[in-house]
């Protein structure tokens, strides 16, 4: 049962009642973890990055200017943290493509394709991993996190038309990738 708004808790935290941060953690830790996990593709890394995000949020809560909702501000921090981690990872590994090929083989071997819905989900997950990071993130934010175009603009720092165009092109690309995966 939701008794108070995010702003109520933020105000309390800003006045020194830091125990109220637990309410924000409880409300947002799972959605933030889910987003980061889908971007970085590693549960362990996502857990660590989620903790980093909430530490950043706690430390910079005074800079929250309420120009957007708290969740949008939080998702922007999560997005930037995950993208930074992926850029760092990209430099550490020889190529990102090699790791994706390894992940594909693992998924195909261990996934039971019993009914059509599971099969479609499998193809979607594999296809998402083949998209460039920015495109995958836009799809995740819009469809899985159910963020509006305006919220995505704030989170990604792209223009409205750019977000709409990229989403449209990415949906087309995703469809093609999924069709290619289905063909023997």
């Amino acid at each position: 049962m939701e008794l108070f708004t995010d702003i109520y808790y933020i105000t309390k935290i800003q006045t020194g009642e830091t125990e109220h941060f637990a309410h924000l953690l409880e409300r947002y830790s799972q959605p933030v973890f889910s987003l980061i996990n889908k971007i970085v593709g590693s549960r362990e890394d996502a857990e660590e990055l989620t903790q980093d995000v909430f530490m950043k949020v706690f430390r910079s809560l005074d800079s929250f200017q309420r120009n957007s909702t708290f969740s949008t501000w939080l998702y922007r921090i999560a997005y930037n943290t995950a993208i930074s981690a992926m850029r760092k990872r990209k430099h550490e590994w020889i190529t990102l493509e090699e790791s994706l090929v390894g992940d594909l083989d693992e998924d195909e071997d261990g996934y039971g394709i019993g009914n059509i819905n599971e099969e479609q989900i499998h193809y979607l997950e594999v296809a998402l991993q083949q998209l460039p990071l920015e495109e995958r993130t836009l799809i995740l934010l819009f469809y899985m996190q159910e963020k509006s175009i305006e919220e995505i603009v704030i989170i990604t720092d792209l223009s409205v038309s750019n977000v709409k165009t990229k989403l449209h092109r990415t949906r087309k690309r995703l469809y093609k990738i999924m069709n290619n995966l289905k063909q023997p």
Side-chain angles (χ1 to χ4, degrees):
M1 182 164 117
E2 198 58 43
L3 296 177
F4 299 106
T5 65
D6 294 341
I7 298 300
Y8 170 83
Y9 292 120
I10 291 167
T11 303
K12 289 289 191 183
I13 296 163
Q14 289 173 332
T15 60
E17 297 179 45
T18 57
E19 67 273 9
H20 289 284
F21 193 71
H23 295 284
L24 298 176
L25 267 172
E26 185 177 319
R27 185 177 295 164
Y28 292 107
S29 61
Q30 189 56 45
V32 166
F33 168 79
S34 179
L35 172 66
I36 292 173
N37 190 33
K38 298 243 187 250
I39 293 172
V40 300
S42 163
R43 184 173 185 81
E44 295 80 21
D45 290 345
E47 287 171 354
E48 185 177 327
L49 291 171
T50 300
Q51 290 177 0
D52 291 348
V53 165
F54 281 100
M55 289 301 296
K56 289 176 186 178
V57 167
F58 184 78
R59 282 191 219 116
S60 58
L61 204 52
D62 285 338
S63 69
F64 174 59
Q65 298 176 2
R66 302 176 189 183
N67 297 336
S68 62
T69 64
F70 173 74
S71 65
T72 300
W73 183 73
L74 171 64
Y75 274 93
R76 181 165 175 82
I77 293 170
Y79 169 81
N80 287 336
T81 301
I83 296 297
S84 294
M86 289 302 291
R87 286 183 184 136
K88 182 180 177 191
R89 181 188 296 175
K90 191 173 183 179
H91 292 291
E92 290 172 358
W93 292 338
I94 297 173
T95 63
L96 187 57
E97 289 76 20
E98 287 177 6
S99 69
L100 290 176
V101 169
D103 288 344
L104 271 176
D105 293 339
E106 247 179 61
D107 289 345
E108 288 174 2
D109 292 341
Y111 202 91
I113 304 176
N115 74 37
I116 193 74
N117 291 334
E118 287 181 8
E119 182 180 28
Q120 289 172 338
I121 290 170
H122 171 71
Y123 285 128
L124 178 60
E125 288 173 349
V126 172
L128 278 170
Q129 290 304 314
Q130 293 182 18
L131 290 174
L133 181 60
E134 182 181 67
E135 292 175 3
R136 182 172 67 234
T137 302
L138 288 174
I139 293 292
L140 294 170
L141 286 169
F142 189 73
Y143 290 103
M144 296 180 180
Q145 298 295 327
E146 298 178 355
K147 295 295 179 190
S148 68
I149 298 293
E150 292 75 21
E151 288 174 309
I152 294 172
V153 165
I154 294 168
I155 292 167
T156 62
D157 210 21
L158 298 170
S159 69
V160 171
S161 61
N162 204 349
V163 169
K164 288 179 180 179
T165 301
K166 287 178 183 261
L167 276 171
H168 177 72
R169 289 180 182 161
T170 302
R171 282 190 292 261
K172 282 181 158 181
R173 182 174 292 145
L174 199 54
Y175 178 76
K176 286 179 183 177
I177 292 170
M178 288 177 68
N179 279 336
N180 289 338
L181 288 171
K182 290 180 184 179
Q183 295 176 2

